[in-house]
Structure formats: C-alpha cells, structure tokens
Amino acid sequence: MTTEDDAEAGGDDAGDQPETVTVADVYDAIDAVGKPHLTPAEVAAKTGLTADEAREALERLGEDAELERQDVSGAEAVYYPPDLDAVTDRERVILFPDRHEVVVEHADQFTRAQLSQFAHLVDTNRAGGAIYEIREEDVWQAPYESLDELLATIHDVVGERSEHLEEWVRSQWERARKFRLVTHEDGYTVLEAENDDLMGNVARQKLDDDVLRAPISDSESWVNEEMTAQLKRTLYEAGYPVRDDRDLEDGDALSVELGLPLRDYQADWVQRFQEQGSGVFVGPPGSGKTVATMGVMEAVGGETLILVPSRELASQWRDELLLHTDLDESQIGEYHGGEKAIRPVTIATYRTAGMDRHRKLFDERRWGLIVYDEVQHIPADVARRSARLQGKHRLGLTATPVREDDKEEEIFTLVGPPIGTDWSALFDAGFVQEPEVQIRQIPWSDDEVADEYVSAVGHGRRQTAATNPAKIDEIRHLLTEHPHAKALVFVEYLDQGEAIAAELDVPFISGETRHAERERLFDEFRRNERDTLVISRVGDEGIDLPDAELAIVASGLGGSRRQGAQRAGRTMRPVGDAQLYLLATRGTEEEDFVRQQMRHLASKGIRVTEQDAEAVGERSGRAEDDAGDE
C-alpha cells in the first residue's frame, strides 16, 4: 500500500518530469505569432509553460532533429521546422464575424469548394491568399435543405463558432422565407406575407398597382401574373427573396425518352430540379448540362421552349436532341432570323423571343418547360423580355453566372435557385478534368513598347499591354513545352490574332471567318489533322468549339470573370491533362484583369498559380548565341 509519504514522493518525481511540447504545438505557436521561427519565451507565452520548460522541450526536439536551432548573438536561440514550406504553405482560415468575411491562405480544393457554397470570392493574391465575403444573397441561395446543414458547413470551414455570425445567417435564412407566391383555388396568383406588417409596409409600399391588383386580406394580395418577374425582382432588391410555390399549368404533354444513362450527379441535379420546380444548373463545361436538361425534359413530360443566344447554338441543340432522345425532326422546330417553326420542342434565340411581335406566338403555346441556355444573358434588356413567357417549369444553364455588372442575382430571381455549384465533386469523381491554371507574367518586348504604354491612356494603354509582342515568344515556348497537346490560343484583338497566327503558321478564326470555313477548321482540329488554332472572342460562347488539352489566353476582355471561365472550360474534359495559361504583361493593369478573370474558377475550388515567363531566358540565350556567331 502506498503511504502518504510515498504519494508525496511520487508527486515530487512527477513534478520533475518536463512538460511535453510537440512539433504540432510549435506549428500552432508559429501560426499565432505570425513568423516561422520562435524563441523559448514565445513558445512559453503560447503554451502556458514556463520559459525553462519551453527551453528544455525545444532542446529535446532539436536533439531529435524535429526542429532546427539557430544561435543568435546576444539573444536566445531560435527554433524553426526543418521544412519551412511545411509552415508557410499550411492552410489557414481566419474568420472576421463582424465583417462576415473569411480570409484563407493556401486553402485546399475541398475548403475552396465548401466556401463556394455559402460565400463570395472577393479577392486573391499571388501568395495563395483569398478573401471571401458572406453576403445576404449567398445565404438566401445556399444549396441546403435546412439551416442546420448550412451552419454545419460554415463551422467545418472556419473551425470555430461565432454567435454573432450564426445569428446573422439565421436572420437571413428566415428573411428568405417571408414572402411566397401561391395559386389560389380559383386559379389566380397570390402573394402571401409572413405577417400583416410585411405586406403593408414592404410589399404594398414597394409594388405598383399594375403588379398587385388588389388586397385579399391583410397578409395576402392578388398578383398580376404577367408581372411576377417584376414582383420578384423588386422584393429581392428590397432584401426579400420570394419563394415561388405556384401550381402552374402542366402545359401540353410531350413524351421524351433519353437514350443514354445520367451520371449520378446529373441524376441528382434532375431530382433537385423536380423538387424545386425551377433552378439553374451551374456546372463546368463538359459536365453534361445539356444531357441533364434532356433528363429534365423526360421527367417533366411537357412541351419545351429552349432559348439560346445564337442561331448556331440553336442548330447544335437540335442535333443533340435528335442524337440523344427519341424525338424526331417533325417534333423539333427552330425560331430565329433564319427559320421560324414552332413545334412541341422549339429552340429560339433570346432576341427573337423577346420581340413583341413574336412573343405572342410563344405565349399561345402551353409550355411545360422553358430552358434558358447561357442564362447569364437573362438580365440584359433584350433577353429579360423573354422572362415574361409563362411555363410550368424554368431551367437555366450556365458555367458562369457571374456578370461584370453584378446582376447575377437577377438570374436566380427570374429563373430559379442554383443547382450543382460544387464543382470539386465532379473533379474528384473524374467526370471532368480539373484544369491546371497559371498566370504567366510577361516582360515588355523592348523599351519602345514599354514607353508606348506609359504615354498611352485608357483603352490604348490596355491594348498596348494586351498585344505586347513578347507574348508570342511565350506562346511558342508553351507550345514547345507541350508538343503533343491540342492547343487553342485566344485573343481579344484581330491584329494580334493575325500576327500570332502568322508567326505560328496556323489558322486564325474570328467573326469574319465564313461559317463553312470555321466548321472545316474545327472538324480538322477534332480529327487531329490540326493541333493549334488561334481564336478571337467568337470562341467564347455560342459555338461548338472543340475541346483542347491546352488553352493559352494571349489577351482578353479586361477582367471578365465569365470570359475567363469560358475559356478555361475549353480544357475541361473527362480524361487527360488540362492546362490553361493566361499571359499578362508585368507591371500593368492587365495583371489585375487576369486575376479578376480567374476569381470565378478559384471560387469553385480550382487552384490558380502565378509564375514569371520562361521564354525570357531563352530569348536572351538566343541573343547571346547570335552575338557569339558574329
């Protein structure tokens, strides 16, 4: 039996045992202090040990080669991990609850994908840091069935609980459920408010008489059905998104059978769309949004109107429907400047469908489904008119709902909530190849061009940076580095495109290229008879551009996130490597433009890196060789 004296002796022996500090504790202390090396005093302050205990613990870790030691003249030794990259590249997530911001450093793909579910990417930097903001609309549109699921994801990402933030998220979640549209038993549309005050002081104050026809009760109003889009937009801008629970007409029946199986995530999109009755498929290029839409057509079983931005895209839709469904040519019509046929499935351009003289024809048809392809066009004045068309279900399709006028929220207001925003799941499952995205910093080709940039202003300055001749050297270098890759080189300026095509001895495709010639070149590219094409802005959307293993953006539409994602999308394929390089002239505003272009991709979990041009050394080497030959 142990005596009290024995116990006291044991206690003294235990007290002689030094406190334990692990390398993980040192990493945590490094995070807290904000520098990669620590003194014993700093470790003591962050671990609760005495200075002597911290010093002994650090000395043991140094003896075991788990830490490096550096003696400093006139001061205590400092300790640091052998691999500094293990510290400097560690993922860090910092929450600023009062500002509703999350700052991350070196976030992995999973963290970035989680953040994309409830936050908006505001800015990134070259060192791998990013700032996310949780906005009202991010909470309103968060793809979760319950508030608890949303809060759980936020907690998983930030690693801490914040009563202030959670209370604000809760209030926004509830705010998105204050108003809803329903169908009265007599068939007309009713706006319901959660309480009398909301109806009287918000809805009836904000909405004109041509939107709300008459009050039904203190919390209900009769709605002009033709003005439902205006109602949703007005209340959304007032901070109250409206749930659309109307029992719309089913539309005329149409049996559609899809001839190929849906992938698991596509089937999930279709199921979520059926549950919601409307929505926007937000998936990367190559994820099969068109096929998933055919799955929706099969599930809805109603006549369908498909709206597209161009006649060429209308023809592509017709071909895809004939290829993958049991619809025949007599059931599919196109309605645009070149052809005008309304059939059970009609494919029309936004411009034509938005014209008053044509819209009446579409209104006379009872559509079970209206599809908005490239739905990011819908906030534009011409395309918005098509949102007044009535259908049982509305489905939008886009890889890039972002708009430079910040009107992307109107997409979800006019069409429906986003579906399929988690791109990382598609990358992880191998359905779509995640591209390697890199910004290359290009020096000026010579002092004369640099001086031209300094003296230019406005658009002239942007064009000078975009068409920097040194970019041709880097393009040639990248093509040499990827000798077997099928490559697309994108340009914004026709003169630049012609110059690059001439230097590389490859074709240049622009809006001035005849349709037949364009299709011939694309077919040769698909059949591997050509491995490189230079393409202007005509390749950004609305044409069936072949996929490539390598995309090089020599110049772009200053800062357009949508254009950046569309061009990256040309490399997103089910198999193989996929690489995107964006060339930016160093020290110019073009650097900021390309970073801004990549924000949408970064918000989807795609890692974007930066590097100096590699062709500079080669050019210098060639110059030295030439001098030596002389």
Side-chain angles (χ1 to χ4, degrees):
M1 179 178 295
T2 303
T3 65
E4 290 182 7
D5 290 339
D6 291 332
E8 291 175 1
D12 291 340
D13 290 341
D16 292 335
Q17 296 297 318
E19 294 286 346
T20 299
V21 173
T22 66
V23 172
D25 294 328
V26 176
Y27 282 172
D28 290 339
I30 285 172
D31 281 344
V33 173
K35 60 182 183 180
H37 49 76
L38 296 174
T39 65
E42 289 169 330
V43 172
K46 297 302 177 182
T47 59
L49 302 177
T50 67
D52 288 340
E53 290 171 340
R55 187 178 298 104
E56 290 179 17
L58 289 171
E59 288 176 353
R60 285 199 307 276
L61 291 173
E63 292 171 359
D64 294 338
E66 293 188 67
L67 290 179
E68 297 285 349
R69 171 180 171 139
Q70 177 68 49
D71 292 320
V72 182
S73 177
E76 277 203 295
V78 296
Y79 294 82
Y80 57 90
D83 182 6
L84 283 177
D85 289 340
V87 177
T88 57
D89 290 343
R90 291 181 76 202
E91 177 180 283
R92 297 178 178 86
V93 180
I94 305 169
L95 172 67
F96 294 90
D98 292 341
R99 301 203 304 263
H100 308 151
E101 285 185 353
V102 180
V103 177
V104 297
E105 294 181 1
H106 307 293
D108 63 24
Q109 184 189 79
F110 180 69
T111 298
R112 296 194 300 272
Q114 283 186 305
L115 282 163
S116 73
Q117 304 291 351
F118 63 84
H120 172 72
L121 180 64
V122 176
D123 199 7
T124 59
N125 62 36
R126 189 170 182 174
I131 300 174
Y132 288 81
E133 179 185 3
I134 307 174
R135 307 169 301 178
E136 294 176 345
E137 56 265 38
D138 297 319
V139 178
W140 298 345
Q141 299 163 5
Y144 297 92
E145 294 184 1
S146 71
L147 174 62
D148 288 342
E149 290 177 340
L150 170 58
L151 292 176
T153 300
I154 294 175
H155 182 246
D156 284 346
V157 172
V158 302
E160 60 181 282
R161 302 293 295 269
S162 166
E163 291 185 8
H164 175 81
L165 178 63
E166 290 187 10
E167 183 57 36
W168 178 81
V169 169
R170 185 182 305 277
S171 69
Q172 294 305 320
W173 179 272
E174 294 172 351
R175 192 179 186 91
R177 286 148 182 81
K178 300 293 187 184
F179 289 99
R180 71 181 189 129
L181 289 170
V182 297
T183 301
H184 192 272
E185 60 183 12
D186 292 333
Y188 55 84
T189 299
V190 175
L191 176 67
E192 290 184 348
E194 186 181 69
N195 55 57
D196 301 349
D197 182 64
L198 284 169
M199 179 59 71
N201 294 325
V202 178
R204 290 174 184 161
Q205 295 293 326
K206 298 287 184 181
L207 299 168
D208 298 332
D209 292 341
D210 61 341
V211 179
L212 296 183
R213 291 189 183 277
I216 298 174
S217 70
D218 289 342
S219 62
E220 299 171 303
S221 291
W222 175 22
V223 175
N224 179 354
E225 190 164 354
E226 294 182 356
M227 300 297 289
T228 54
Q230 177 66 41
L231 179 149
K232 290 180 182 179
R233 188 164 57 251
T234 300
L235 290 181
Y236 191 101
E237 291 171 352
Y240 292 94
V242 178
R243 296 172 60 190
D244 195 339
D245 294 333
R246 289 178 291 167
D247 183 19
L248 299 175
E249 292 185 9
D250 288 335
D252 291 330
L254 175 67
S255 175
V256 179
E257 184 175 335
L258 182 60
L260 71 168
L262 294 174
R263 297 167 179 168
D264 289 344
Y265 68 86
Q266 291 170 326
D268 178 63
W269 290 357
V270 173
Q271 180 180 349
R272 288 174 59 187
F273 177 85
Q274 288 181 275
E275 293 171 352
Q276 296 174 183
S278 64
V280 177
F281 287 167
V282 183
S287 58
K289 295 185 293 294
T290 301
V291 173
T293 299
M294 297 177 198
V296 170
M297 292 172 64
E298 183 179 57
V300 168
E303 294 196 353
T304 300
L305 173 63
I306 302 172
L307 300 174
V308 297
S310 70
R311 290 167 54 179
E312 289 176 312
L313 202 52
S315 298
Q316 292 170 33
W317 263 100
R318 181 188 180 94
D319 293 342
E320 290 293 307
L321 288 167
L322 291 173
L323 178 64
H324 297 303
T325 72
D326 63 346
L327 295 170
D328 59 47
E329 293 187 1
S330 68
Q331 296 173 293
I332 305 173
E334 295 183 44
Y335 199 101
H336 45 66
E339 184 178 342
K340 291 182 174 61
I342 294 184
R343 303 280 172 76
V345 175
T346 301
I347 311 161
T349 59
Y350 284 110
R351 180 173 296 276
T352 303
M355 294 179 180
D356 291 337
R357 66 179 182 273
H358 298 302
R359 194 168 64 244
K360 182 179 179 182
L361 296 173
F362 295 114
D363 276 333
E364 292 174 351
R365 202 95 184 189
R366 298 172 66 247
W367 304 109
L369 173 67
I370 300 179
V371 178
Y372 300 85
D373 197 5
E374 303 288 357
V375 73
Q376 66 272 7
H377 291 279
I378 201 70
D381 290 338
V382 173
R384 181 184 291 174
R385 298 191 193 110
S386 63
R388 299 174 187 170
L389 295 170
Q390 297 302 308
K392 169 71 174 177
H393 303 282
R394 292 169 181 257
L395 172 62
L397 310 177
T398 185
T400 51
V402 292
R403 289 177 57 90
E404 306 321 310
D405 55 11
D406 293 325
K407 289 185 177 179
E408 54 259 34
E409 68 270 10
E410 289 196 23
I411 297 170
F412 307 120
T413 300
L414 297 171
V415 179
I419 298 172
T421 55
D422 184 2
W423 290 18
S424 65
L426 278 62
F427 297 143
D428 292 343
F431 290 120
V432 180
Q433 176 68 31
E434 178 185 359
E436 296 179 14
V437 181
Q438 187 173 94
I439 297 171
R440 285 283 173 100
Q441 311 289 344
I442 312 298
W444 289 110
S445 59
D446 53 56
D447 292 340
E448 183 178 346
V449 181
D451 291 341
E452 181 182 342
Y453 173 81
V454 173
S455 60
V457 294
H459 179 73
R461 170 172 284 206
R462 290 193 294 273
Q463 184 170 351
T464 301
T467 57
N468 176 7
K471 291 184 178 182
I472 295 178
D473 291 332
E474 192 68 15
I475 293 170
R476 187 182 289 109
H477 169 80
L478 290 171
L479 293 175
T480 302
E481 287 290 298
H482 305 88
H484 305 297
K486 294 171 65 176
L488 297 174
V489 181
F490 291 96
V491 298
E492 186 67 20
Y493 300 98
L494 297 183
D495 290 346
Q496 182 188 28
E498 292 169 354
I500 293 173
E503 286 285 341
L504 301 179
D505 192 23
V506 299
F508 174 46
I509 298 174
S510 70
E512 298 176 358
T513 307
R514 296 194 314 274
H515 179 75
E517 174 70 3
R518 181 190 304 172
E519 285 305 308
R520 181 184 68 81
L521 292 171
F522 286 161
D523 285 342
E524 290 175 355
F525 190 90
R526 293 186 190 95
R527 296 195 300 266
N528 296 321
E529 295 172 8
R530 290 188 179 276
D531 57 12
T532 305
L533 294 174
V534 181
I535 303 177
S536 74
R537 197 192 304 179
V538 72
D540 291 344
E541 66 179 29
I543 64 172
D544 185 16
L545 196 63
D547 292 333
E549 295 133 312
L550 174 66
I552 303 171
V553 179
S555 59
L557 185 63
S560 171
R561 292 165 290 170
R562 186 170 78 244
Q563 185 187 64
Q566 286 163 337
R567 291 178 171 182
R570 301 308 182 183
T571 67
M572 293 186 192
R573 302 166 299 109
V575 295
D577 295 329
Q579 293 162 311
L580 170 68
Y581 294 93
L582 298 99
L583 310 186
T585 299
R586 185 187 302 133
T588 70
E589 61 186 4
E590 189 178 31
E591 288 183 295
D592 294 331
F593 285 157
V594 295
R595 291 185 187 118
Q596 184 175 333
Q597 279 192 319
M598 291 297 100
R599 283 181 189 171
H600 179 67
L601 290 180
S603 72
K604 296 300 181 185
I606 295 175
R607 188 170 184 83
V608 180
T609 62
E610 297 190 24
Q611 179 182 314
D612 290 335
E614 294 183 345
V616 179
E618 295 177 1
R619 188 165 61 249
S620 300
R622 287 198 303 271
E624 291 174 1
D625 290 341
D626 291 342
D629 292 340
E630 294 176 1

